[in-house]
Amino acid sequence: MTHEPPFAHDGQWHVTRHADVRAVLAGPGFAVPEPPGGPTSGPASGPASGHAGGRAPGMGWLRGSVSRFSNDEEHKRRRSRVVAALAGLNAALLRREAFDLATAELAAAGPTVDVMALLARRVPVGVLAVHLGVATENREKAVAAVAGIAAAYHPRPAGADDGPDEHPSGLPGDHPGGDPADEAVGVLAGLLRDPAPDHLAAVAGLLVQACDATAGLIGNALSLVTHLPYDLITRWPAEAVLTETLRYDPPVRLTRRVARADAVVGGVVIPAGAVVVLDLAAAGRDPDVFPDPHRFDPGRRLLTGAGHLGFGSGLRPCPGDTIALALAAGVLEATRDHTAADPGVVYEPSPNLRVPVQLWLKAPNVSQTLCNNGLTDSLDHV
Ligand code: HEM
Protein backbone atom coordinates (compact mmCIF):
# COMPACT_ATOMS: atom_id res chain seq x y z
CA MET A 1 0.00 0.00 0.00
CA THR A 2 1.75 3.14 -1.22
CA HIS A 3 1.17 6.79 -0.39
CA GLU A 4 2.59 8.95 -3.13
CA PRO A 5 1.49 11.76 -5.44
CA PRO A 6 -1.06 10.82 -8.12
CA PHE A 7 0.44 8.60 -10.82
CA ALA A 8 -0.71 7.07 -14.13
CA HIS A 9 -0.74 3.31 -14.55
CA ASP A 10 -2.49 1.10 -17.10
CA GLY A 11 -4.41 3.98 -18.63
CA GLN A 12 -5.84 5.27 -15.32
CA TRP A 13 -4.68 7.74 -12.70
CA HIS A 14 -4.30 6.48 -9.14
CA VAL A 15 -4.76 8.65 -6.05
CA THR A 16 -3.71 7.15 -2.72
CA ARG A 17 -2.99 9.94 -0.22
CA HIS A 18 -5.78 10.98 2.13
CA ALA A 19 -5.49 14.71 1.29
CA ASP A 20 -5.42 14.04 -2.47
CA VAL A 21 -8.44 11.71 -2.36
CA ARG A 22 -10.37 14.32 -0.39
CA ALA A 23 -9.36 17.03 -2.86
CA VAL A 24 -10.71 15.05 -5.83
CA LEU A 25 -13.93 14.13 -4.02
CA ALA A 26 -14.48 17.80 -3.18
CA GLY A 27 -13.55 19.10 -6.63
CA PRO A 28 -16.26 20.20 -9.08
CA GLY A 29 -13.71 19.49 -11.82
CA PHE A 30 -14.32 15.77 -11.42
CA ALA A 31 -17.44 13.87 -12.51
CA VAL A 32 -18.55 10.29 -11.83
CA PRO A 33 -18.10 8.07 -14.91
CA GLU A 34 -21.26 7.39 -16.85
CA PRO A 35 -22.76 3.93 -16.46
CA PRO A 36 -22.51 1.52 -19.41
CA GLY A 37 -25.10 2.58 -21.97
CA GLY A 38 -24.97 6.20 -20.80
CA PRO A 39 -27.17 8.11 -18.37
CA THR A 40 -30.92 8.41 -18.55
CA SER A 41 -31.39 12.17 -18.60
CA GLY A 42 -34.45 14.01 -17.45
CA PRO A 43 -37.32 12.54 -15.46
CA ALA A 44 -37.01 8.78 -15.27
CA SER A 45 -39.63 6.57 -16.78
CA GLY A 46 -39.23 2.91 -16.12
CA PRO A 47 -40.59 -0.46 -15.23
CA ALA A 48 -43.91 0.92 -14.11
CA SER A 49 -44.44 2.65 -17.43
CA GLY A 50 -42.72 0.15 -19.64
CA HIS A 51 -39.63 1.84 -21.01
CA ALA A 52 -36.91 4.22 -19.86
CA GLY A 53 -35.38 6.63 -22.33
CA GLY A 54 -36.14 4.13 -25.09
CA ARG A 55 -34.37 1.36 -23.18
CA ALA A 56 -35.86 -1.86 -21.92
CA PRO A 57 -36.44 -1.67 -18.14
CA GLY A 58 -34.01 -3.57 -15.96
CA MET A 59 -30.40 -3.07 -14.95
CA GLY A 60 -29.65 -0.60 -17.75
CA TRP A 61 -32.62 1.52 -16.73
CA LEU A 62 -31.68 1.36 -13.05
CA ARG A 63 -28.02 2.28 -13.53
CA GLY A 64 -29.09 5.11 -15.82
CA SER A 65 -31.65 6.40 -13.29
CA VAL A 66 -29.91 6.33 -9.88
CA SER A 67 -28.17 9.16 -8.07
CA ARG A 68 -24.90 7.22 -7.86
CA PHE A 69 -24.05 7.37 -11.57
CA SER A 70 -25.41 10.83 -12.42
CA ASN A 71 -23.84 14.28 -12.48
CA ASP A 72 -24.65 17.99 -12.19
CA GLU A 73 -28.29 19.12 -12.07
CA GLU A 74 -29.64 15.63 -12.64
CA HIS A 75 -27.55 14.37 -9.72
CA LYS A 76 -28.92 17.13 -7.49
CA ARG A 77 -32.48 16.14 -8.38
CA ARG A 78 -31.91 12.44 -7.85
CA ARG A 79 -29.91 12.87 -4.65
CA SER A 80 -32.63 15.06 -3.14
CA ARG A 81 -35.14 12.22 -3.67
CA VAL A 82 -32.75 9.79 -1.98
CA VAL A 83 -32.22 12.15 0.95
CA ALA A 84 -35.99 12.63 1.27
CA ALA A 85 -36.54 8.85 1.38
CA LEU A 86 -33.87 8.51 4.08
CA ALA A 87 -35.22 11.43 6.12
CA GLY A 88 -38.22 9.36 7.18
CA LEU A 89 -36.06 6.64 8.76
CA ASN A 90 -35.29 6.34 12.47
CA ALA A 91 -31.73 5.03 12.90
CA ALA A 92 -32.22 3.94 16.51
CA LEU A 93 -35.30 1.93 15.55
CA LEU A 94 -33.49 0.28 12.63
CA ARG A 95 -30.62 -0.63 14.95
CA ARG A 96 -33.00 -2.25 17.41
CA GLU A 97 -34.82 -4.16 14.66
CA ALA A 98 -31.55 -5.35 13.15
CA PHE A 99 -30.45 -6.55 16.58
CA ASP A 100 -33.76 -8.34 17.22
CA LEU A 101 -33.86 -9.98 13.78
CA ALA A 102 -30.23 -11.09 13.96
CA THR A 103 -30.73 -12.41 17.49
CA ALA A 104 -33.77 -14.43 16.36
CA GLU A 105 -31.87 -15.83 13.36
CA LEU A 106 -28.93 -16.84 15.54
CA ALA A 107 -31.22 -18.48 18.08
CA ALA A 108 -32.82 -20.57 15.32
CA ALA A 109 -29.46 -21.55 13.79
CA GLY A 110 -26.98 -24.13 15.02
CA PRO A 111 -23.96 -23.38 17.22
CA THR A 112 -21.80 -22.66 14.15
CA VAL A 113 -23.07 -20.11 11.62
CA ASP A 114 -21.93 -18.49 8.40
CA VAL A 115 -22.81 -14.88 9.22
CA MET A 116 -22.46 -13.82 5.60
CA ALA A 117 -25.24 -16.19 4.47
CA LEU A 118 -27.38 -15.89 7.59
CA LEU A 119 -27.19 -12.21 8.51
CA ALA A 120 -24.91 -9.85 6.58
CA ARG A 121 -27.30 -9.07 3.71
CA ARG A 122 -30.55 -10.54 4.97
CA VAL A 123 -30.81 -8.44 8.11
CA PRO A 124 -29.77 -4.94 6.92
CA VAL A 125 -31.51 -5.17 3.55
CA GLY A 126 -34.58 -6.86 5.04
CA VAL A 127 -35.02 -4.26 7.79
CA LEU A 128 -34.39 -1.37 5.40
CA ALA A 129 -36.73 -2.74 2.72
CA VAL A 130 -39.63 -2.95 5.17
CA HIS A 131 -39.03 0.66 6.27
CA LEU A 132 -38.92 1.75 2.64
CA GLY A 133 -42.29 0.26 1.74
CA VAL A 134 -42.04 -3.54 1.32
CA ALA A 135 -44.64 -5.54 3.27
CA THR A 136 -43.08 -7.47 6.16
CA GLU A 137 -44.22 -10.82 4.73
CA ASN A 138 -42.28 -10.02 1.52
CA ARG A 139 -39.03 -9.17 3.29
CA GLU A 140 -37.14 -12.28 2.12
CA LYS A 141 -38.33 -11.79 -1.48
CA ALA A 142 -37.03 -8.21 -1.36
CA VAL A 143 -33.67 -9.36 0.00
CA ALA A 144 -33.32 -11.89 -2.84
CA ALA A 145 -34.25 -9.30 -5.48
CA VAL A 146 -31.89 -6.65 -4.06
CA ALA A 147 -28.99 -9.13 -3.76
CA GLY A 148 -29.53 -10.17 -7.37
CA ILE A 149 -29.56 -6.56 -8.54
CA ALA A 150 -26.51 -5.66 -6.41
CA ALA A 151 -24.51 -8.50 -7.97
CA ALA A 152 -24.87 -6.87 -11.39
CA TYR A 153 -25.07 -3.19 -10.40
CA HIS A 154 -21.55 -1.82 -10.46
CA PRO A 155 -20.13 -1.12 -13.90
CA ARG A 156 -16.96 -3.01 -14.63
CA PRO A 157 -13.68 -1.07 -14.62
CA ALA A 158 -12.48 0.69 -17.77
CA GLY A 159 -11.12 -1.78 -20.28
CA ALA A 160 -13.49 -4.57 -19.30
CA ASP A 161 -16.39 -5.38 -21.61
CA ASP A 162 -19.93 -4.64 -20.53
CA GLY A 163 -20.69 -8.26 -19.96
CA PRO A 164 -22.00 -9.77 -16.77
CA ASP A 165 -20.07 -9.05 -13.56
CA GLU A 166 -18.39 -11.94 -11.86
CA HIS A 167 -20.21 -12.80 -8.69
CA PRO A 168 -20.40 -15.95 -6.62
CA SER A 169 -24.18 -15.95 -6.98
CA GLY A 170 -23.69 -16.54 -10.70
CA LEU A 171 -25.96 -13.55 -11.48
CA PRO A 172 -26.33 -12.50 -14.18
CA GLY A 173 -25.36 -15.11 -16.72
CA ASP A 174 -26.51 -17.04 -19.70
CA HIS A 175 -30.14 -17.47 -18.82
CA PRO A 176 -32.44 -18.43 -21.66
CA GLY A 177 -35.50 -17.04 -19.84
CA GLY A 178 -34.03 -13.53 -19.55
CA ASP A 179 -31.43 -11.88 -17.35
CA PRO A 180 -32.29 -12.56 -13.68
CA ALA A 181 -30.91 -9.18 -12.57
CA ASP A 182 -33.26 -7.43 -15.03
CA GLU A 183 -36.10 -9.56 -13.73
CA ALA A 184 -35.14 -8.73 -10.14
CA VAL A 185 -35.67 -5.01 -10.88
CA GLY A 186 -39.23 -5.86 -11.91
CA VAL A 187 -39.74 -8.03 -8.83
CA LEU A 188 -38.55 -5.23 -6.55
CA ALA A 189 -40.84 -2.74 -8.32
CA GLY A 190 -43.78 -5.08 -7.67
CA LEU A 191 -42.84 -5.52 -3.99
CA LEU A 192 -42.77 -1.72 -3.68
CA ARG A 193 -46.23 -1.68 -5.32
CA ASP A 194 -45.03 -0.25 -8.64
CA PRO A 195 -44.19 3.28 -7.50
CA ALA A 196 -43.51 6.18 -9.88
CA PRO A 197 -40.21 5.57 -11.70
CA ASP A 198 -38.42 8.44 -9.91
CA HIS A 199 -39.32 6.97 -6.54
CA LEU A 200 -38.44 3.44 -7.63
CA ALA A 201 -35.02 4.63 -8.79
CA ALA A 202 -34.41 6.35 -5.42
CA VAL A 203 -35.55 3.42 -3.26
CA ALA A 204 -33.98 0.69 -5.40
CA GLY A 205 -30.77 2.74 -5.51
CA LEU A 206 -30.77 2.98 -1.71
CA LEU A 207 -31.36 -0.72 -1.18
CA VAL A 208 -28.74 -1.75 -3.72
CA GLN A 209 -26.11 0.68 -2.40
CA ALA A 210 -26.85 -0.63 1.09
CA CYS A 211 -26.64 -4.32 0.24
CA ASP A 212 -23.06 -5.36 -0.45
CA ALA A 213 -21.35 -2.44 1.29
CA THR A 214 -23.14 -3.03 4.60
CA ALA A 215 -22.54 -6.80 4.28
CA GLY A 216 -18.86 -6.05 3.74
CA LEU A 217 -18.73 -3.76 6.76
CA ILE A 218 -20.33 -6.43 8.96
CA GLY A 219 -18.10 -9.19 7.57
CA ASN A 220 -14.88 -7.20 7.77
CA ALA A 221 -15.59 -5.95 11.29
CA LEU A 222 -16.47 -9.44 12.53
CA SER A 223 -13.52 -11.06 10.84
CA LEU A 224 -11.29 -8.59 12.72
CA VAL A 225 -12.83 -8.70 16.18
CA THR A 226 -13.64 -12.40 16.38
CA HIS A 227 -9.96 -13.22 16.00
CA LEU A 228 -9.06 -11.09 18.99
CA PRO A 229 -8.93 -12.28 22.60
CA TYR A 230 -12.39 -12.36 24.14
CA ASP A 231 -11.88 -9.45 26.56
CA LEU A 232 -10.85 -7.22 23.65
CA ILE A 233 -13.86 -8.24 21.54
CA THR A 234 -16.27 -6.92 24.11
CA ARG A 235 -14.26 -3.88 25.18
CA TRP A 236 -15.48 -1.46 22.52
CA PRO A 237 -18.99 -0.35 21.52
CA ALA A 238 -20.10 -1.67 18.14
CA GLU A 239 -19.94 1.82 16.61
CA ALA A 240 -16.26 2.23 17.53
CA VAL A 241 -15.42 -1.15 15.97
CA LEU A 242 -17.32 -0.26 12.79
CA THR A 243 -15.76 3.20 12.47
CA GLU A 244 -12.26 1.77 12.82
CA THR A 245 -13.13 -0.99 10.32
CA LEU A 246 -14.15 1.69 7.81
CA ARG A 247 -10.64 3.11 8.12
CA TYR A 248 -8.62 -0.09 8.47
CA ASP A 249 -10.50 -2.52 6.21
CA PRO A 250 -13.25 -0.63 4.34
CA PRO A 251 -15.82 -2.57 2.30
CA VAL A 252 -15.79 0.05 -0.49
CA ARG A 253 -12.11 0.03 -1.48
CA LEU A 254 -12.15 2.53 -4.30
CA THR A 255 -14.30 4.81 -6.38
CA ARG A 256 -13.76 6.55 -9.70
CA ARG A 257 -14.00 9.99 -11.19
CA VAL A 258 -13.28 11.50 -14.62
CA ALA A 259 -11.37 14.80 -14.89
CA ARG A 260 -13.52 17.35 -16.74
CA ALA A 261 -10.44 19.53 -17.45
CA ASP A 262 -6.76 19.50 -16.57
CA ALA A 263 -6.55 19.55 -12.76
CA VAL A 264 -3.69 19.81 -10.29
CA VAL A 265 -3.90 17.28 -7.44
CA GLY A 266 -1.08 16.89 -4.94
CA GLY A 267 1.17 18.97 -7.18
CA VAL A 268 0.59 16.76 -10.23
CA VAL A 269 -1.40 17.66 -13.36
CA ILE A 270 -4.13 15.13 -14.11
CA PRO A 271 -5.16 15.63 -17.74
CA ALA A 272 -8.69 16.31 -18.95
CA GLY A 273 -10.60 13.11 -19.65
CA ALA A 274 -8.43 10.96 -17.36
CA VAL A 275 -10.15 8.23 -15.36
CA VAL A 276 -9.09 8.69 -11.75
CA VAL A 277 -9.13 5.77 -9.30
CA LEU A 278 -9.49 6.99 -5.72
CA ASP A 279 -8.01 4.46 -3.32
CA LEU A 280 -10.20 4.87 -0.23
CA ALA A 281 -8.51 1.89 1.46
CA ALA A 282 -5.00 3.31 1.03
CA ALA A 283 -6.20 6.72 2.25
CA GLY A 284 -7.33 5.06 5.50
CA ARG A 285 -3.77 3.92 6.16
CA ASP A 286 -2.08 7.23 5.30
CA PRO A 287 0.65 7.71 7.95
CA ASP A 288 0.45 11.50 7.54
CA VAL A 289 -3.09 11.37 8.93
CA PHE A 290 -3.33 8.26 11.11
CA PRO A 291 -0.52 7.54 13.59
CA ASP A 292 0.45 3.85 13.57
CA PRO A 293 -1.98 3.31 10.63
CA HIS A 294 -1.61 -0.47 10.35
CA ARG A 295 -2.82 -1.07 13.91
CA PHE A 296 -6.53 -1.86 14.30
CA ASP A 297 -7.55 0.25 17.26
CA PRO A 298 -11.22 1.08 17.81
CA GLY A 299 -10.15 3.26 20.73
CA ARG A 300 -8.12 5.45 18.37
CA ARG A 301 -8.59 9.17 18.91
CA LEU A 302 -8.91 10.87 15.55
CA LEU A 303 -7.47 14.26 14.82
CA THR A 304 -10.02 16.88 13.80
CA GLY A 305 -10.91 16.56 10.12
CA ALA A 306 -8.96 13.34 9.77
CA GLY A 307 -11.81 10.89 9.51
CA HIS A 308 -11.87 7.72 7.43
CA LEU A 309 -13.05 7.99 3.83
CA GLY A 310 -15.01 4.74 3.91
CA PHE A 311 -18.24 6.64 3.20
CA GLY A 312 -16.59 8.92 0.66
CA SER A 313 -16.54 12.68 1.31
CA GLY A 314 -16.78 16.01 -0.46
CA LEU A 315 -19.55 16.73 -2.97
CA ARG A 316 -21.39 13.40 -2.84
CA PRO A 317 -20.61 11.39 0.28
CA CYS A 318 -22.70 8.37 1.20
CA PRO A 319 -26.09 9.67 2.33
CA GLY A 320 -26.77 6.35 4.10
CA ASP A 321 -23.84 6.46 6.54
CA THR A 322 -25.93 6.81 9.71
CA ILE A 323 -28.33 4.10 8.58
CA ALA A 324 -25.48 1.79 7.57
CA LEU A 325 -23.82 2.16 10.97
CA ALA A 326 -27.10 1.59 12.80
CA LEU A 327 -27.95 -1.58 10.86
CA ALA A 328 -24.43 -2.98 11.10
CA ALA A 329 -24.22 -2.13 14.82
CA GLY A 330 -27.43 -4.06 15.49
CA VAL A 331 -26.02 -7.15 13.75
CA LEU A 332 -22.61 -6.81 15.40
CA GLU A 333 -24.12 -6.57 18.81
CA ALA A 334 -26.25 -9.66 18.24
CA THR A 335 -23.08 -11.64 17.40
CA ARG A 336 -21.02 -10.11 20.21
CA ASP A 337 -20.47 -13.37 22.08
CA HIS A 338 -19.40 -15.33 19.01
CA THR A 339 -15.84 -16.21 18.10
CA ALA A 340 -14.17 -17.26 14.85
CA ALA A 341 -14.84 -20.88 13.90
CA ASP A 342 -12.64 -20.87 10.80
CA PRO A 343 -9.53 -18.67 10.61
CA GLY A 344 -9.50 -18.40 6.80
CA VAL A 345 -11.47 -15.65 5.05
CA VAL A 346 -12.01 -15.69 1.27
CA TYR A 347 -13.31 -12.53 -0.37
CA GLU A 348 -15.79 -12.14 -3.21
CA PRO A 349 -14.12 -11.32 -6.53
CA SER A 350 -14.77 -7.61 -6.98
CA PRO A 351 -12.57 -4.75 -8.15
CA ASN A 352 -13.98 -2.24 -5.68
CA LEU A 353 -15.70 -4.09 -2.84
CA ARG A 354 -14.25 -6.24 -0.08
CA VAL A 355 -16.89 -8.66 1.18
CA PRO A 356 -16.14 -12.07 2.71
CA VAL A 357 -17.74 -14.99 0.83
CA GLN A 358 -18.28 -16.82 4.10
CA LEU A 359 -17.51 -16.11 7.73
CA TRP A 360 -18.04 -18.97 10.15
CA LEU A 361 -18.57 -18.08 13.78
CA LYS A 362 -19.34 -20.23 16.76
CA ALA A 363 -21.67 -19.49 19.60
CA PRO A 364 -20.24 -19.20 23.11
CA ASN A 365 -20.68 -21.92 25.66
CA VAL A 366 -23.46 -21.48 28.14
CA SER A 367 -21.37 -20.17 31.07
CA GLN A 368 -19.84 -17.48 28.81
CA THR A 369 -23.30 -16.41 27.61
CA LEU A 370 -24.52 -15.99 31.18
CA CYS A 371 -21.57 -13.89 32.23
CA ASN A 372 -21.85 -11.67 29.14
CA ASN A 373 -25.53 -10.87 29.28
CA GLY A 374 -25.03 -7.76 31.42
CA LEU A 375 -22.40 -6.40 29.04
CA THR A 376 -24.51 -6.97 25.95
CA ASP A 377 -27.42 -5.18 27.58
CA SER A 378 -25.29 -2.15 28.38
CA LEU A 379 -23.87 -1.98 24.86
CA ASP A 380 -27.38 -1.96 23.49
CA HIS A 381 -27.84 1.55 24.84
CA VAL A 382 -24.68 3.04 23.31
C1 HEM B 1 -21.15 0.20 5.24
C2 HEM B 1 -21.97 0.50 4.35
C3 HEM B 1 -21.74 1.55 3.29
C4 HEM B 1 -20.58 2.06 2.78
C5 HEM B 1 -19.16 1.70 3.17
C6 HEM B 1 -20.95 3.03 1.78
C7 HEM B 1 -20.05 3.78 1.06
C8 HEM B 1 -20.39 4.69 0.10
C9 HEM B 1 -19.47 5.51 -0.64
C10 HEM B 1 -17.95 5.48 -0.49
C11 HEM B 1 -20.19 6.28 -1.49
C12 HEM B 1 -19.64 7.38 -2.39
C13 HEM B 1 -19.17 6.86 -3.70
C14 HEM B 1 -18.50 7.97 -4.49
O1 HEM B 1 -18.24 9.07 -3.98
O2 HEM B 1 -18.17 7.72 -5.66
C15 HEM B 1 -21.57 5.93 -1.31
C16 HEM B 1 -22.60 6.46 -2.02
C17 HEM B 1 -23.90 6.15 -1.80
N1 HEM B 1 -24.41 5.38 -0.77
FE1 HEM B 1 -23.36 4.35 0.57
N2 HEM B 1 -22.31 3.09 1.71
C18 HEM B 1 -22.82 2.21 2.64
C19 HEM B 1 -24.13 1.98 2.94
C20 HEM B 1 -25.16 2.66 2.39
C21 HEM B 1 -26.52 2.55 2.80
C22 HEM B 1 -27.03 1.73 3.99
C23 HEM B 1 -27.24 3.33 1.96
C24 HEM B 1 -28.70 3.60 1.97
C25 HEM B 1 -29.48 3.51 3.03
C26 HEM B 1 -26.32 3.94 1.02
C27 HEM B 1 -26.66 4.79 -0.01
C28 HEM B 1 -25.76 5.39 -0.87
C29 HEM B 1 -26.16 6.17 -2.03
C30 HEM B 1 -27.59 6.44 -2.51
C31 HEM B 1 -24.99 6.65 -2.62
C32 HEM B 1 -24.87 7.51 -3.88
C33 HEM B 1 -24.83 8.96 -3.48
C34 HEM B 1 -24.67 9.89 -4.65
O3 HEM B 1 -23.79 9.69 -5.47
O4 HEM B 1 -25.42 10.85 -4.70
N3 HEM B 1 -25.07 3.52 1.32
N4 HEM B 1 -21.67 4.98 -0.31
Side-chain angles (χ1 to χ4, degrees), residues 1-7 14-21 247 279-290 293-294:
M1 198 174 275
T2 58
H3 297 95
E4 52 192 307
F7 61 94
H14 297 263
V15 180
T16 56
R17 295 187 301 197
H18 190 275
D20 296 341
V21 171
R247 180 196 73 80
D279 193 333
L280 305 175
R285 302 282 189 103
D286 188 334
D288 285 347
V289 177
F290 304 106
H294 303 301

Side-chain angles (χ1 to χ4, degrees), residues 67-68 75 79 206 209-210 213 217 255 257 310-312 316 318-319:
S67 170
R68 175 70 182 82
H75 175 248
R79 188 169 169 110
L206 280 174
Q209 288 286 147
L217 179 59
T255 190
R257 295 290 188 269
F311 285 127
R316 44 195 306 156
C318 177

Side-chain angles (χ1 to χ4, degrees), residues 16 39 42 49 62 110 119 154 157 160 216 236 239 292 297 300 322 332 345 348 353 355 360 362 370 379:
T16 56
S49 58
L62 185 64
L119 306 177
H154 285 284
W236 302 294
E239 279 76 0
D292 202 359
D297 178 10
R300 173 182 293 276
T322 307
L332 224 62
V345 181
E348 294 180 1
L353 294 172
V355 184
W360 289 93
K362 57 181 180 237
L370 288 175
L379 287 171

Side-chain angles (χ1 to χ4, degrees), residues 114-117 119-121 124 211-227 241-242 245 249-251 328 331-332 335 345-347 354-361:
D114 171 14
V115 283
M116 299 313 294
L119 306 177
R121 287 182 177 83
C211 183
D212 289 347
T214 312
L217 179 59
I218 291 168
N220 296 348
L222 285 174
S223 80
L224 283 163
V225 293
T226 56
H227 286 90
V241 169
L242 293 166
T245 303
D249 193 14
V331 174
L332 224 62
T335 56
V345 181
V346 176
Y347 293 91
R354 187 160 145 103
V355 184
V357 175
Q358 297 178 339
L359 189 65
W360 289 93
L361 301 185

Side-chain angles (χ1 to χ4, degrees), residues 25 32-33 66-70 75 78-79 82 86 89 124 128 132 153 202 205-218 246 250-252 254-257 278 280 309-313 315-325 327-328:
L25 288 173
V32 297
V66 291
S67 170
R68 175 70 182 82
F69 303 123
S70 61
H75 175 248
R78 294 178 185 182
R79 188 169 169 110
V82 161
L86 286 172
L89 303 181
L128 195 53
L132 290 173
Y153 178 72
L206 280 174
L207 289 167
V208 171
Q209 288 286 147
C211 183
D212 289 347
T214 312
L217 179 59
I218 291 168
L246 283 157
V252 179
L254 54 89
T255 190
R256 288 185 171 76
R257 295 290 188 269
L278 303 170
L280 305 175
L309 300 180
F311 285 127
S313 79
L315 297 178
R316 44 195 306 156
C318 177
D321 55 351
T322 307
I323 297 302
L325 283 173
L327 291 165

Side-chain angles (χ1 to χ4, degrees), residues 43-49 61 65 81 189 192-204:
S45 57
S49 58
W61 171 80
S65 303
R81 283 181 216 119
L192 290 164
R193 302 176 187 91
D194 289 320
D198 282 348
H199 186 68
L200 176 61
V203 172

